[in-house]
Every structure is written in structure tokens, then in C-alpha cells.
Amino acid sequence: MEQTTQRPHRATRARRNALIALIHGGTARVEDIAAHLEVSASTVRRDLAALESAGMVSRTYGGAITSAPYRDRALADRLALNTAGKAGIGRTAVDLVHDGATVFLDAGSTTMAFVDALRQRSVSGVRVVTRGLENAVLLVGCDGIDVHVVGGRLTTASHGTTGPLALEALERFSFDLAILGCDAVSAQRGVGEPTLEEAYVKECAANRSDRIAVLADRTKFQVAGISAWARLPEAWTLVTDTDDHELLAPYAAAGVRVLGADSRHA
């Protein structure tokens, strides 16, 4: 009797493991998953419901994506992840900068890709105010760019400044454009961060900016376990390397402008 009850359980686990592997590999539609696993669409939907309850996937219209649990990574590790996608995001975002602009620049690996693109562009009279130490070092001495560093307490992971000193400095500026990185992104909640301090400094910068651009590569969607969020003013811009229509539909519905990453090789 025990063997009889265990076999269906093992079969279910094996099928669900195979289902998750298919989603990881890019197969997201219920009908395609059912065809690969040679089961009915209703069985796939039941499996997806169980996996969603366990926090392993997030269902979308007609399919699912994997739910990536949040894990804070060191900046050096982030720089090695999705480098091509981030480079394309940087090349797209740099077109938002015009001569004479005052730009707030966040810390993080994707904003460093933006810095790489900015260094290759001819600009005049651009003032960059950044909370990212690496960004400041990379930009100092570049023709046409005046660099200011926001003070404060350094975060371990992103090497970005936070706290009262950072907020005090931001109160002294008005920005034409804020370039924000993130650990997670949401059409409704804005950008997610590991701490309230980081979320609040981003929110303050956004509130002092005429335009806001969030740089979010494909790994920043559907991230689980983020509790601190920076609310953004309406009509912000999302620059991303994903073209998943189901992922991007809520942003268009919320009035967010979505720009695709420049896919040309650097």
C-alpha cells in the first residue's frame, strides 16, 4: 500500500521538476508545456497552481515564469551577470541625456553599464550627481562631464551611499533626469531594494527629478522576498532587455514608457 501511494507522488514531483526546467529553458505557455510533458493542459495548470503556492513560479496569462528568490549579491558578482543585456540597456539609456543636463546616477552594475556608454558619447555641460563610488571614479576627468559624489554611509553590496548625509545632499539639487538601478521592479510599487534606507534615497532622488529612468535587466522582474520599495512619480521610463509582452503589459497599462535595450554589439 505504501509503495502504491508513493509512486504517484514521485511521478508528480518528477513532472513538476521537468515543468520548472522547461520554464527555465524559455517554454512558458501552458499548451507548449503540456505537449512537451505529454499531459493535459489542465494537469499543467494544476501543477502551476501548486508551484505558485510554493513560491517556485509566478503564473502569467496563459503560462508562467520562474519566481527568482531575492539574494543580495556583491557588486563584483553582479558585474558578471547578463553583461550583454546590461550593456544594451546602458546604450539605450544614454540617449536620454542631453547637453547641459543635471543627472542623478544611482549605484549598481547596470548603472555602470550606463557609465560605459556615457564615456563613449560626446556631451557638453552635463552634471552627474552619483551615489555610486565606482561610477564617480569612472566618470571623473571625462570631457563635458562635471562629477559630484553624494556622501553618506556605504552599502556593502552596491557601494552606494545612503543615510542622512545622502538625503541632505539630494535636497540641494534639482535633476533633469534620474537614472535608477534596482534589485526588483514593479509597475505598481516602483523599485525594490534590500533596505529601507536604499529605497528612500532612490525615492527622494526621483521626487527631485523631471524624468525618471529605471534600468532593469530581465532578472529584476518577478523577484520574491523584496520588502522595501521606492515609490516613483507617474510617467516614468523603464529600460530593459526583456521583450516578454506578458511581463511588460502591466507597465504599459500603468502609463510607464518602456524602452528596449540596444542589442548591437558594443
Side-chain angles (χ1 to χ4, degrees), residues 2-3 5-15 17:
E2 184 179 352
Q3 291 181 345
T5 57
Q6 284 181 349
R7 285 172 185 167
H9 291 162
R10 285 199 296 267
T12 298
R13 284 199 301 271
R15 185 180 67 246
N17 287 338

Side-chain angles (χ1 to χ4, degrees), residues 97-103 118 123-128 143-147:
V97 179
H98 58 76
D99 286 348
T102 297
V103 179
L118 185 60
V123 295
S124 175
V126 172
R127 174 188 290 173
V128 173
D143 291 341
I145 301 176
D146 183 27
V147 182

Side-chain angles (χ1 to χ4, degrees), residues 133-163:
L133 292 189
E134 281 83 0
N135 289 336
V137 171
L138 289 170
L139 288 174
V140 69
C142 291
D143 291 341
I145 301 176
D146 183 27
V147 182
H148 298 253
V149 181
V150 172
R153 177 180 177 272
L154 276 179
T155 61
T156 302
S158 67
H159 298 174
T161 56
T162 61

Side-chain angles (χ1 to χ4, degrees), residues 152-215:
R153 177 180 177 272
L154 276 179
T155 61
T156 302
S158 67
H159 298 174
T161 56
T162 61
L165 288 176
L167 298 175
E168 175 67 21
L170 292 176
E171 287 297 321
R172 306 300 176 96
F173 289 98
S174 292
F175 302 105
D176 299 295
L177 172 67
I179 298 289
L180 302 180
C182 62
D183 285 84
V185 64
S186 165
Q188 290 75 35
R189 290 179 287 181
V191 294
E193 293 301 319
T195 67
L196 287 171
E197 290 79 8
E198 284 186 272
Y200 191 53
V201 74
K202 292 171 190 274
E203 186 170 318
C204 289
N207 287 336
R208 298 196 64 80
S209 303
D210 293 334
R211 295 177 295 145
I212 301 104
V214 175
L215 313 188

